[in-house]
Amino acid sequence: MKISAAKHVFTVIFLLPCFAFAQPYDNPEINREGCEPFHSVITPCADVQEAVSSRYLESERIKLLNGPWKFKMVESKSNIPSGVSNPSFSDSGWDKLPVPSNWQRHGYGLPVYSNHTIGVEPDEVGIYRRECYLEPVNLEERRVMLAFGGARSALHAYVNGEEVGYAEGSYLPIEFDVTEELKRGYNNITVIVYRRSDGIYLENFDHWRLSGLFRDVYLSMRPETYIEDWRVKADAQGSWQVSAKLRNKSGSSCSGLSMNAMLFDKSGKIVEAKRNIRIAEIPAGGEAQAKASAKLGSVKLWSDEKPNLYRTVVELVKEGTTLETIGCNTGFRTVSIEDNQLKLNGRAVEIRGVNRHEWDGEKAQAIGREEMLADIRLMKKSNINAVRTSHYPDDPRFYEICDEFGIMVMDEAGLENHWRNHHENKPEWLGSHMMRIKGVVERDKNHPSVVFWSLGNEFFHGPNVQKMYDWVLEKDPTRAVFNDGRGNKGNNQVGCPSYSNVAELSEAHKTLNQPGIAKEMAHCMGNSLGQLADMWDLFRNPDYPMLQGGFIWDWIDQGWTMTENGRTFWDYGLRCGKTYQSHFCINGIVNPDRSVSAKLLQVKKVYQPISVEPVSPEKGIFKVVNRHRFTPLSEFNGRWKVEENGKVAAKGRLPELSAEPLQTQKISVNLPAVEDEAFITLSFHRKTALPAVPAGHEIAFEQLKISDGEPEKLKEMDLVRFRNSQAQANGLKVKIEGGLPASIEFRGKQVLESPAEISLWRAEIDNDTQNWGKTFEIYAEKWHKAGLPDVDFSLEGSTVLPDGRLSAKGTVGYKQKDYFKTRIIYGLTDSGRLSIDTSLEPLEDIEKFDMRGLPRVGWIMELDKSFVNAQWYGRGPQENYIDRLAAAPVGIYHKRAGEEEETYITPQAYGNRTGLRWLRVFNTDNLGFSAKMYSPESGVFESSLFEFSAIPYSEKQIKEADHTDQLEDGEKVYLHLDYRQAGVGNMPKKRLPEHEVPVKPMDFMFILDFFSE
């Protein structure tokens, strides 16, 4: 439709007192002009069969306008070329830009990332033009809609030089009826997209502030009388209700109409049908309603575990001729809140969720079905069952996939100001608030996967938000509503404190009067996600029934793929554009290319819906706990294996599993005889495939110790005597200088590239350095004030002990400060075994800093670059830390330094392994050494667990780099042998005391046993 001059004049005159001739993009009271009303996703089809099988936009009545458009970006609105919407305007010198896309991803304008700083976008304007050819059949007795899946942050649209409308609300559908403006043959479409509009003040998301036509653009061909909107309700009791709103846009009344409503099962068979529902005559420009309902005796219910889908199809008929058909996924399920618990089909659910931005390192925000499928498949394989669409409605395809694969969705309105303004109180902003909740609810109301509505993220509660909340409660009482408005005074149905630790969640449970579901449960920035296992132990504790889980922040690192000087890396705005909050967009469980991380493996393990508890483990009796709500254990095969000292002693299949949902089952395993330390690992695998999970996929595992064995006590050794701080035996030569190992040479091969040193520092991880939660003040600031990166050992004196060992006494400190009174005793046996006994006693200078803990305590050895191989008996294979180790079972593993490691997009400490019994490090010629650690127990040194990392970079190299391309592989392997390293934590909270490295007396001995094979 045309936007008449009279309408523009009226608008300007009306707004004169407050806005002084403001344009729509500067006027919060104008959000949309010329747009069709919001409605459910509709893909019009020609017949019933097409509607049964079609997906979003898959129809002959949809003409996609995706692909190359002529494009020009100007720096500000004042630079928009005059007459640019005229079909005769010359764009011959313009570039071509693919649609969908963000223009910044293709080299135009300034990419900007901001967490909370509002209004940071430059005033760029993108002008799109293209020709569209229409056959006469496309226009005969048709209404044609020009539709946009999304445009940030606002647009004006023109067809053949006529303005058809204006719209903002970046992530909501935009639809204009352009029938009157179109003609047979070639048509010109011009779209002006504004990066800045008043809408950005309610779209202050923690995300890249990009722009463009980043979702589909298409024409939708409708009959002159068509289905404008429809609603399908289906509940767990078998009730099926269909209502349709019809619109007559012809120039005359329309009679002889009827509607057929049909329900199809998965195979395409009709389950229920209501035919020939007569519709009263609709006057020109009028509307009508049609309804159908049925009570089905038996239906398969939809849930995240069993996403049973039907297909509802509505056919609009005029005098026996089909005008159009539409279809949608239908799932029979009931969402309820009972006993302060969120229930699905009568059972309290676990929300094993993630927050998800629409992102891809290459495509930015313009992701397609391929990336959506990759996300959901990876989530389902990793036991994730819920997604919050942070912080805006996602592409419609995503909901179809969630319907099909079984994901519970918290569908969020595109509202966030990060508490930077108070537009919730201003009447002129009411329309913008209401548009956002109405748009998402109306569009997505037919999706069974949508379990919650969310009003948005991080804003103040006020009159405008209250109206949003009241509207959605009345509009759709079949789902839960989340209101994140600060000060909502109980106008909320779900939620509990975000980013809380176990103690805080336990305390919050005492006063909860609603389902305790955290919108942002844990923060995944960099090397992180500690304490997740502790948190979920609480969620699954029957004493805390209202704590039902939450959504991890967040799913994918929003890294920007770049290549410079032949090296590819991910940026966060520092080099490709501008960042206002450093790398705060790099907080995903998976990388920007969706590659698996150690964090994802931890999520999978903690979220697993099957667990095993020991009953009499030494006798092989265990209890299997089925945490599924709707899936019996009979759908899984179980396997077991027993490993003694890391080697498989026996393995087999578990007895047939049969526990029903939320039930347990005792099983018995015929264990082999073992004498030393031994573990049993029980794993559970799908018998048959699910939409995203192949048959045989391991969904859960548990490792339990069945034998401790006897701790290895350090035996007396035949020692050679140190002379002049040197000793040698069996091809090993050791030289001590300044109290530290300066040279270790074995069989003529120099092992050390520089003297080994005591290490108290790591390249700080994000959870050590952030102002949020004051972790910087608690950790990194104190560490650097103390000079921990540069501590050294100051020798006071050395003596040869009567048994021939060399004792070096001194202090570990920084500059003039002494932190630890230190004694290092070196011993060398005649067989070539080197012992390094380290004793540290804290002094007043370190205690003045009042540290919660040290980053690490251990030794750093810079090895020749050929020592790339590491084999260990401990936790692995992926990196793990003392507060993130549940997914890393004890076993024997192998790695090469620098390979199969996560260096993190913003370089920080990485590559640690915990729980080591022994370690072997060797070069390409199989020459090397093994390492064990012993600690004094009752005056006797016993074997003790330790930690290690072997990486191609020093901690200082890592700390100085902003991106991974700045890390240059050197000529060394940096081997850390750690008595203990701090956990990674869960920002913004401090680490738990048991995950710290306390400043206290420490005594530990490493034994290095050299070999050549």
Side-chain angles (χ1 to χ4, degrees):
M1 71 182 252
K2 295 180 181 180
I3 305 296
S4 68
K7 180 175 181 181
H8 283 307
V9 170
F10 173 80
T11 302
V12 170
I13 293 172
F14 176 78
L15 295 173
L16 260 172
C18 298
F19 294 97
F21 298 96
Q23 292 289 332
Y25 45 70
D26 290 327
N27 185 347
E29 289 192 311
I30 299 178
N31 310 125
R32 298 200 160 201
E33 292 185 314
C35 295
E36 293 295 295
F38 290 122
H39 57 76
S40 293
V41 174
I42 288 176
T43 297
C45 297
D47 56 44
V48 170
Q49 191 55 48
E50 186 182 23
V52 170
S53 59
S54 71
R55 289 194 174 106
Y56 176 62
L57 303 186
E58 294 179 356
S59 167
E60 293 182 357
R61 295 191 176 185
I62 296 292
K63 184 177 181 66
L64 283 173
L65 301 180
N66 296 345
W69 286 56
K70 288 293 189 73
F71 178 78
K72 183 179 181 62
M73 193 206 82
V74 295
E75 298 295 336
S76 71
K77 299 181 184 76
S78 62
N79 297 127
I80 298 172
S82 177
V84 72
S85 63
N86 194 311
S88 63
F89 182 90
S90 177
D91 55 20
S92 59
W94 288 19
D95 297 333
K96 289 186 177 180
L97 183 73
V99 172
S101 71
N102 300 110
W103 68 64
Q104 291 84 6
R105 182 66 263 195
H106 292 268
Y108 302 92
L110 181 71
V112 174
Y113 163 70
S114 176
N115 174 18
H116 52 72
T117 306
I118 204 164
V120 296
E121 301 90 331
D123 189 28
E124 298 166 1
V125 179
I127 307 167
Y128 297 76
R129 287 169 57 89
R130 71 161 289 164
E131 298 292 310
C132 172
Y133 186 81
L134 292 178
E135 300 281 355
V137 69
N138 297 133
L139 299 174
E140 291 175 358
E141 297 184 354
R142 294 282 179 87
R143 304 305 300 186
V144 182
M145 310 295 177
L146 172 61
F148 302 83
R152 185 170 171 93
S153 72
L155 65 74
H156 271 110
Y158 304 82
V159 174
N160 293 325
E162 297 287 344
E163 180 183 338
V164 296
Y166 169 82
E168 55 191 54
S170 301
Y171 300 88
L172 294 174
I174 302 164
E175 192 175 37
F176 305 108
D177 187 336
V178 295
T179 308
E180 306 304 323
E181 288 77 16
L182 290 172
K183 62 182 181 181
R184 297 179 181 180
Y186 286 99
N187 293 266
N188 174 267
I189 300 174
T190 300
V191 184
I192 301 177
V193 178
Y194 308 104
R195 190 170 186 182
R196 287 184 67 97
S197 72
D198 57 81
I200 66 175
Y201 296 97
L202 296 184
E203 295 178 353
N204 190 29
F205 308 128
D206 176 7
H207 199 19
W208 289 86
R209 311 300 174 85
L210 306 179
S211 42
L213 300 175
F214 62 94
R215 289 182 182 164
D216 299 289
V217 181
Y218 59 94
L219 296 176
S220 178
M221 316 296 180
R222 313 298 299 276
E224 291 188 324
T225 299
Y226 59 93
I227 304 167
E228 184 177 71
D229 194 10
W230 68 321
R231 177 75 162 103
V232 180
K233 296 181 181 179
D235 65 24
Q237 288 70 47
S239 173
W240 176 63
Q241 302 176 50
V242 182
S243 59
K245 178 182 177 182
L246 312 177
R247 173 71 62 186
N248 176 13
K249 280 197 174 182
S250 70
S252 59
S253 62
C254 184
S255 60
L257 293 173
S258 63
M259 184 182 84
N260 299 322
M262 294 153 280
L263 183 70
F264 295 82
D265 66 14
K266 185 178 179 180
S267 68
K269 178 183 176 182
I270 291 181
V271 175
E272 182 61 61
K274 298 295 181 181
R275 302 185 185 277
N276 298 318
I277 302 166
R278 297 191 177 278
I279 301 167
E281 181 176 320
I282 308 175
E287 64 181 61
Q289 302 285 334
K291 296 182 179 181
S293 63
K295 182 77 171 182
L296 282 70
S298 176
V299 291
K300 294 181 178 180
L301 301 186
W302 186 96
S303 69
D304 57 299
E305 297 173 21
K306 304 284 187 181
N308 296 302
L309 282 181
Y310 295 78
R311 185 80 175 171
T312 296
V313 171
V314 164
E315 180 183 25
L316 182 61
V317 179
K318 179 177 171 60
E319 297 173 350
T321 300
T322 299
L323 296 181
E324 71 174 356
T325 60
I326 58 174
C328 73
N329 291 332
T330 299
F332 287 83
R333 92 286 184 274
T334 297
V335 178
S336 61
I337 296 177
E338 304 169 32
D339 304 319
N340 292 327
Q341 291 179 308
L342 180 75
K343 295 186 177 182
L344 180 63
N345 302 334
R347 294 182 179 176
V349 293
E350 285 186 336
I351 299 299
R352 307 191 301 268
V354 293
N355 285 270
R356 174 185 176 270
H357 270 306
E358 292 184 311
W359 187 258
D360 178 77
E362 294 280 355
K363 297 180 178 180
Q365 296 165 342
I367 65 171
R369 182 177 173 83
E370 179 183 351
E371 288 78 25
M372 299 175 206
L373 281 169
D375 281 343
I376 296 302
R377 286 182 175 130
L378 194 51
M379 288 178 191
K380 293 295 288 187
K381 290 178 182 177
S382 303
N383 298 320
I384 294 166
N385 71 352
V387 168
R388 179 184 179 216
T389 66
S390 53
H391 296 295
Y392 42 80
D394 282 357
D395 184 284
R397 291 179 182 84
F398 183 72
Y399 302 86
E400 283 188 338
I401 297 169
C402 291
D403 292 343
E404 295 167 13
F405 285 60
I407 291 286
M408 293 182 284
V409 176
M410 177 179 279
D411 202 3
E412 190 147 277
L415 170 62
E416 177 179 358
N417 59 34
H418 213 96
W419 310 294
R420 292 305 189 265
N421 58 51
H422 282 283
H423 294 334
E424 77 285 349
N425 291 325
K426 299 174 183 177
E428 65 268 26
W429 286 88
L430 173 61
S432 188
H433 282 76
M434 294 304 298
M435 170 189 70
R436 295 168 193 280
I437 190 62
K438 287 182 177 181
V440 64
V441 171
E442 296 290 10
R443 190 194 70 170
D444 298 334
K445 58 182 176 279
N446 286 338
H447 286 286
S449 57
V450 176
V451 171
F452 316 78
W453 299 119
S454 168
L455 305 189
N457 184 66
E458 294 175 357
F459 49 85
F460 293 103
H461 189 84
N464 295 339
V465 176
Q466 185 65 50
K467 287 182 172 63
M468 295 172 70
Y469 184 72
D470 293 342
W471 180 87
V472 73
L473 284 181
E474 181 178 356
K475 177 69 178 180
D476 185 14
T478 69
R479 294 175 169 99
V481 181
F482 172 62
N483 177 7
D484 197 33
R486 185 174 287 177
N488 61 44
K489 297 181 180 179
N491 291 286
N492 186 26
Q493 291 186 325
V494 296
C496 69
S498 295
Y499 302 120
S500 300
N501 59 29
V502 170
E504 291 166 335
L505 286 168
S506 177
E507 186 65 24
H509 187 268
K510 295 177 182 178
T511 56
L512 271 180
N513 57 3
Q514 61 191 16
I517 298 168
K519 62 151 190 173
E520 293 167 20
M521 176 176 57
H523 199 266
C524 279
M525 190 170 176
N527 193 352
S528 59
L529 208 59
Q531 304 175 34
L532 187 68
D534 306 88
M535 194 179 301
W536 273 82
D537 285 343
L538 184 72
F539 289 153
R540 287 170 167 169
N541 186 326
D543 293 334
Y544 297 86
M546 288 176 284
L547 294 180
Q548 292 185 259
F551 302 88
I552 293 171
W553 185 265
D554 59 8
W555 170 244
I556 189 168
D557 280 328
Q558 288 102 67
W560 184 285
T561 306
M562 294 184 70
T563 301
E564 291 184 0
N565 301 316
R567 299 191 67 178
T568 298
F569 60 96
W570 288 304
D571 184 39
Y572 40 88
L574 189 65
R575 284 160 69 176
C576 72
K578 188 174 181 64
T579 174
Y580 281 84
Q581 276 80 40
S582 185
H583 58 286
F584 224 70
C585 56
I586 307 299
N587 38 34
I589 301 172
V590 299
N591 296 310
D593 62 355
R594 293 166 172 77
S595 53
V596 173
S597 69
K599 291 184 288 187
L600 180 64
L601 297 176
Q602 178 77 354
V603 170
K604 177 187 176 184
K605 177 64 174 71
V606 172
Y607 278 4
Q608 67 184 27
I610 303 172
S611 61
V612 182
E613 298 173 2
V615 178
S616 296
E618 71 285 352
K619 297 180 181 179
I621 302 174
F622 305 93
K623 180 171 71 174
V624 182
V625 181
N626 184 9
R627 301 188 187 280
H628 290 97
R629 271 52 182 171
F630 307 101
T631 305
L633 289 188
S634 57
E635 295 189 16
F636 301 90
N637 286 317
R639 305 171 192 171
W640 64 270
K641 66 177 178 180
V642 170
E643 294 167 293
E644 184 177 19
N645 293 330
K647 297 180 179 180
V648 176
K651 60 182 180 179
R653 292 192 173 273
L654 292 177
E656 191 67 26
L657 301 170
S658 59
E660 292 298 315
L662 296 173
Q663 299 298 313
T664 64
Q665 175 183 355
K666 280 188 180 180
I667 59 170
S668 180
V669 175
N670 186 17
L671 298 178
V674 292
E675 297 180 357
D676 295 331
E677 182 184 52
F679 293 88
I680 184 170
T681 302
L682 305 99
S683 59
F684 302 87
H685 308 256
R686 287 287 318 171
K687 286 183 179 179
T688 59
L690 294 176
V693 182
H697 176 72
E698 181 184 281
I699 208 74
F701 80 89
E702 209 76 73
Q703 186 181 66
L704 300 168
K705 184 177 280 191
I706 57 174
S707 173
D708 286 316
E710 288 295 324
E712 181 183 350
K713 292 180 172 56
L714 192 60
K715 300 176 182 178
E716 291 188 11
M717 300 176 284
D718 296 324
L719 299 167
V720 299
R721 191 171 188 81
F722 273 83
R723 301 181 188 279
N724 298 320
S725 298
Q726 299 182 58
Q728 62 180 16
N730 197 26
L732 179 65
K733 297 179 181 179
V734 180
K735 183 179 181 180
I736 308 299
E737 291 182 356
L740 299 174
S743 173
I744 299 176
E745 182 183 313
F746 182 59
R747 304 283 168 86
K749 175 69 173 177
Q750 181 58 245
V751 176
L752 296 179
E753 288 290 300
S754 59
E757 297 177 335
I758 292 174
S759 174
L760 303 180
W761 179 70
R762 69 184 180 194
E764 286 92 359
I765 62 173
D766 286 322
N767 284 359
D768 297 333
T769 62
Q770 292 299 313
N771 291 324
W772 184 37
K774 298 184 178 180
T775 61
F776 174 75
E777 295 178 20
I778 296 167
Y779 297 115
E781 185 177 48
K782 291 184 178 182
W783 296 345
H784 280 269
K785 283 183 177 179
L788 294 190
D790 297 302
V791 296
D792 56 19
F793 174 71
S794 297
L795 179 66
E796 295 175 354
S798 61
T799 58
V800 178
L801 301 177
D803 60 5
R805 294 181 297 164
L806 178 65
S807 175
K809 293 184 178 180
T811 58
V812 169
Y814 174 66
K815 293 184 177 180
Q816 304 304 314
K817 297 177 181 178
D818 295 330
Y819 294 152
F820 290 93
K821 182 180 178 181
T822 307
R823 183 216 64 209
I824 310 170
I825 300 176
Y826 301 95
L828 182 63
T829 69
D830 56 7
S831 63
R833 174 181 289 183
L834 176 64
S835 63
I836 306 175
D837 178 9
T838 308
S839 174
L840 301 171
E841 184 177 333
L843 299 172
E844 184 178 355
D845 283 346
I846 191 72
E847 291 174 343
K848 289 179 180 177
F849 288 99
D850 191 28
M851 295 181 185
R852 281 183 59 87
L854 299 164
R856 65 167 13 122
V857 173
W859 283 87
I860 171 64
M861 297 181 177
E862 297 179 10
L863 308 182
D864 177 83
K865 67 177 182 179
S866 64
F867 287 90
V868 294
N869 296 293
Q871 185 184 40
W872 71 98
Y873 176 33
R875 290 192 175 272
Q878 72 275 12
E879 69 168 22
N880 52 89
Y881 292 79
I882 54 175
D883 58 353
R884 198 187 74 209
L885 49 71
V890 175
I892 296 176
Y893 304 102
H894 176 270
K895 71 176 286 291
R896 289 173 61 87
E899 294 184 2
E900 300 179 2
E901 289 282 11
E902 295 178 60
T903 53
Y904 293 97
I905 292 174
T906 306
Q908 54 199 276
Y910 74 101
N912 191 63
R913 270 75 175 179
T914 66
L916 265 72
R917 281 74 172 162
W918 53 256
L919 166 71
R920 297 175 81 242
V921 178
F922 52 98
N923 66 12
T924 49
D925 296 323
N926 287 325
L927 179 147
F929 59 90
S930 63
K932 290 184 178 181
M933 193 181 83
Y934 296 80
S935 297
E937 298 289 340
S938 302
V940 178
F941 275 91
E942 292 184 353
S943 58
S944 185
L945 304 181
F946 65 103
E947 304 180 31
F948 98 101
S949 64
I951 58 178
Y953 318 111
S954 71
E955 297 296 304
K956 287 188 176 180
Q957 279 180 287
I958 295 170
K959 180 65 178 179
E960 291 168 0
D962 293 316
H963 298 84
T964 56
D965 71 315
Q966 297 164 345
L967 293 172
E968 297 287 346
D969 288 0
E971 299 297 307
K972 302 175 184 178
V973 171
Y974 295 87
L975 174 67
H976 282 277
L977 298 176
D978 284 334
Y979 166 75
R980 185 175 173 91
Q981 185 177 164
V984 294
N986 181 25
M987 191 163 60
K989 303 303 178 185
K990 298 181 287 291
R991 284 185 280 274
L992 299 179
E994 58 266 33
H995 300 150
E996 301 283 13
V997 183
V999 177
K1000 67 175 186 178
M1002 289 167 274
D1003 193 352
F1004 54 94
M1005 177 189 292
F1006 282 104
I1007 300 288
L1008 307 183
D1009 213 344
F1010 288 78
F1011 60 84
S1012 177
E1013 297 176 357

